[in-house]
Amino acid sequence: MDEINTGITKNKHLLGWIAECVKLCKPERVWWLDGSDADKERLTEEAYKTGDFLPVNAEKHPGCHLHRSAHNDVARTEKLTFICTRDEGDCGPTNNWMAPSEAYPKLSSILDGSMAGRTMYVIPFSMGPIDSPARKIGVEITDSAYVALSMMIMTRVGIKALDALGDSDDFTRCLHGKADLHESRRFICHFPEDNAVWSVGSGYGGNALLGKKCLALRLASWQGKKEGWLAEHMLITAITNPAGKTHFVAAAFPSACGKTNLSMLVPPKDFAEKGWKVQTLGDDIAWIRVGEDGRFYAINPEAGFFGVAPGTNEKTNPNAMKTISKNTIFTNVLQRDDGSLWWEGHSKAPEKGIDWKGEEWTPEKGSPGSHPNSRFTAPLSQCPSLHDDWETPKGVPLSAIIFGGRRAKLAPLVFEAFNWQHGTFVGATMASETTAAATGAVGVVRRDPMAMLPFIGYNVGDYFRHWLERGAAASNAPKIFHVNWFKRNADGKYLWPGYGENLRVLKWIIERCDGRISAVKTPIGLMPRKEDLDLRGLDLSEDAVEELLAIDTQEWLAEVESQAEFLSKLGERVPDEIYVERGKLKDRLMGNKG
Ligand code: SAT
Ligand code: MN
């Protein structure tokens, strides 16, 4: 059998596992990624041969490539995602469970011979800076050149990861095969007890770039529970005030709710003039440990952005536009006649083009030209707003954790939790309208604890317990807040302008962290008064501000009932503290002292 870059490791655990996978998948060739530029170039050529990459206008998009996925393979498929623990109780009610004894044979039979005539790429990678004590090594096997090249952007790949691994057996075994991409043969299976992920039948990001959601959230959350840290679906950003003081904050929003935009926020003009600065450290995942000083320290385990293209433009996110101006893989966007790329919300629609399905498109066609979950994959290092400490081994200290979602009603613009336990309850019961990042109905309100519903790799009750314990272990835990940029008025119009203006809310948040501004106690938490928010220069009516900060007691009482219904489905491991907080919220709403 043909082999490329053999001999780059002597690690017998790794060699033994690769030999097993070769025996099962029967590829024509094995290609070990060494992570060099030359390797990347050869692999890119290969991706053009296999059709994984399509050429784009190289003047407008230097170093960029277009990928079109199978039409049935455009988002994460949560229904086909499984946690395979020996005991079903450890998986818990929010995940699909499959016994390992069922999963291994089932996926083996699909993978058996599935790489015949194809290349098996072996990708050693690190999640987290190589020199960080928090980093984890994985090795992904895949038969997709698109996946291999995406991993080279999203993670730290090659010899450096192998060197970090040395002779150790401590790496995540990530086996990915496209097989025939048929949904009836698509499974994304996690084996936390074996530190392994097997994924078949999909080439889509979250299903196939196994370092991302599979390793860095589902398996990492399990490992974090055992080792005393948190793996969270959070962006990390740095906010510096005119006095030069920087606060790092992490924020958890569900997929496609603006984490990338918030992490790259550009301050409104008057804020920028005064010296406010926002810098980016990550847009999707944070690994958080309690430091010796009792603060929470966060690293971004990723090295790239896998962001939603539609809606991204010079106004909504100029930093993202610069980040993706070169060396970027675009998936399922539209191609104009001149080979340049376009998506809904990019700019004026072209008169015609080739849509994400590879078909001729005109605006009159009535279907989107780019898929609503079309994506860009770009290196973090290209982000103009990148913070200098983005790779600092011990991570950055967090002042605040922010939860948020899309809610047309109910949740006000911002509130602060009374304390860690209350904040954990706020995160545990948060809800959001669904988006195109996962298959299924869009726009339906669903509970999404800590924006982690699809990513908690173990029993959700144990996860809440872990949150409570981590907070208790930190003498200086961050303050917890909840935001909602998406509240609408009776006519269905957004009340808040969003984007750069969100800094006005972040300003209140960090002033709270500094103890420099007061808040009013309301039944749901601590809130700014109208005059506490810096809204100068913003064209917002008094009524709108009032609506944004309003709390409708009847709606909230209904919310508390709906929270109870949700919690009742989560099983016996939900800590009492969560129920206690719910009871207190209800009492406060009913006018009792909380
Ligand atoms: O799951 S992905 O990482 O592909 C995108 C998302 O849903 O956040
Ligand atoms: Mn995400």
Side-chain angles (χ1 to χ4, degrees), residues 106-430:
K106 188 181 259 182
L107 273 69
S108 292
S109 72
I110 301 169
L111 284 163
D112 191 355
S114 67
M115 296 189 189
R118 298 185 189 171
T119 301
M120 173 191 274
Y121 305 99
V122 180
I123 313 163
F125 65 94
S126 172
M127 298 311 289
I130 301 267
D131 55 352
S132 169
R135 62 113 175 93
K136 296 278 177 192
I137 301 294
V139 179
E140 175 159 353
I141 287 176
T142 180
D143 55 354
S144 160
Y146 164 71
V147 166
L149 282 154
S150 300
M151 286 293 285
M152 288 189 93
I153 296 175
M154 296 304 296
T155 74
R156 296 153 174 98
V157 160
I159 305 270
K160 50 187 183 242
L162 287 174
D163 285 348
L165 179 63
D167 298 331
S168 167
D169 191 21
D170 186 14
F171 64 95
T172 307
R173 288 156 165 81
C174 302
L175 173 54
H176 170 250
K178 288 186 292 187
D180 62 4
L181 295 177
H182 200 283
E183 272 159 273
S184 65
R185 285 177 292 280
R186 179 178 300 165
F187 296 96
I188 297 96
C189 289
H190 303 72
F191 304 93
E193 286 143 340
D194 301 339
N195 194 11
V197 189
W198 285 26
S199 166
V200 291
S202 168
Y204 171 75
N207 294 339
L209 310 179
L210 301 186
K212 194 172 176 57
K213 302 299 187 329
C214 301
L215 190 164
L217 287 177
R218 297 195 190 97
L219 291 188
S221 64
W222 169 286
Q223 287 165 351
K225 164 86 177 152
K226 285 205 304 198
E227 297 167 8
W229 50 281
L230 293 163
E232 298 298 328
H233 193 203
M234 292 180 181
L235 66 91
I236 310 169
T237 190
I239 305 156
T240 303
N241 70 16
K245 179 161 185 196
T246 297
H247 283 278
F248 296 96
V249 305
F253 306 154
S255 303
C257 287
K259 284 201 300 302
T260 307
N261 289 342
L262 188 64
S263 74
M264 298 184 190
L265 182 151
V266 174
K269 198 162 155 273
D270 44 334
F271 273 65
E273 280 167 7
K274 284 191 203 117
W276 285 88
K277 229 166 43 183
V278 176
Q279 287 166 300
T280 314
L281 292 101
D283 80 328
D284 198 39
I285 301 178
W287 287 356
I288 303 169
R289 277 162 208 267
V290 180
E292 276 162 20
D293 58 358
R295 302 187 74 183
F296 273 31
Y297 283 80
I299 66 158
N300 173 9
E302 302 192 278
F305 301 106
F306 182 64
V308 178
T312 308
N313 61 48
E314 286 298 342
K315 242 182 107 189
T316 59
N317 195 339
N319 284 321
M321 293 303 280
K322 287 190 193 80
T323 306
I324 64 179
S325 63
K326 57 183 181 186
N327 309 323
T328 297
I329 303 172
F330 292 91
T331 303
N332 289 341
V333 300
L334 175 138
Q335 189 158 41
R336 298 190 189 98
D337 280 354
D338 66 353
S340 67
L341 303 172
W342 180 88
W343 47 83
E344 273 69 17
H346 174 283
S347 51
K348 194 168 163 279
E351 276 165 24
K352 61 186 178 53
I354 304 292
D355 68 11
W356 69 275
K357 291 184 167 173
E359 292 163 8
E360 300 232 334
W361 182 88
T362 61
E364 292 73 45
K365 197 171 172 188
S367 57
S370 69
H371 187 275
N373 193 36
S374 54
R375 296 268 170 170
F376 53 76
T377 311
L380 262 144
S381 59
Q382 292 186 177
C383 178
S385 57
L386 195 63
H387 192 277
D388 280 350
D389 289 343
W390 73 285
E391 291 195 288
T392 198
K394 81 169 199 190
V396 293
L398 297 180
S399 300
I401 285 179
I402 305 172
F403 293 122
R406 281 178 186 268
R407 296 217 66 176
K409 288 164 79 165
L410 191 83
L413 182 61
V414 60
F415 66 91
E416 178 187 331
F418 296 117
N419 51 47
W420 186 266
Q421 177 170 306
H422 177 234
T424 302
F425 163 77
V426 169
T429 52
M430 68 189 247

Side-chain angles (χ1 to χ4, degrees), residues 485-536:
W485 317 135
F486 300 95
K487 204 171 184 192
R488 298 183 194 231
N489 67 12
D491 300 332
K493 289 221 175 69
Y494 288 117
L495 287 159
W496 180 249
Y499 302 107
E501 310 298 347
N502 292 339
L503 182 55
R504 298 173 190 274
V505 176
L506 297 178
K507 179 182 174 202
W508 182 76
I509 287 176
I510 67 167
E511 284 175 347
R512 288 293 301 158
C513 295
D514 278 336
R516 282 183 24 196
I517 197 162
S518 62
V520 258
K521 191 172 176 204
T522 78
I524 66 162
L526 300 163
M527 288 185 60
R529 289 164 306 171
K530 257 191 312 193
E531 53 275 24
D532 293 334
L533 289 173
D534 185 345
L535 303 176
R536 281 170 292 183

Side-chain angles (χ1 to χ4, degrees), residues 69-82:
S69 75
H71 299 174
N72 70 347
D73 190 26
V74 290
R76 276 183 293 104
T77 37
E78 292 175 7
K79 276 198 206 116
L80 305 174
T81 301
F82 295 83

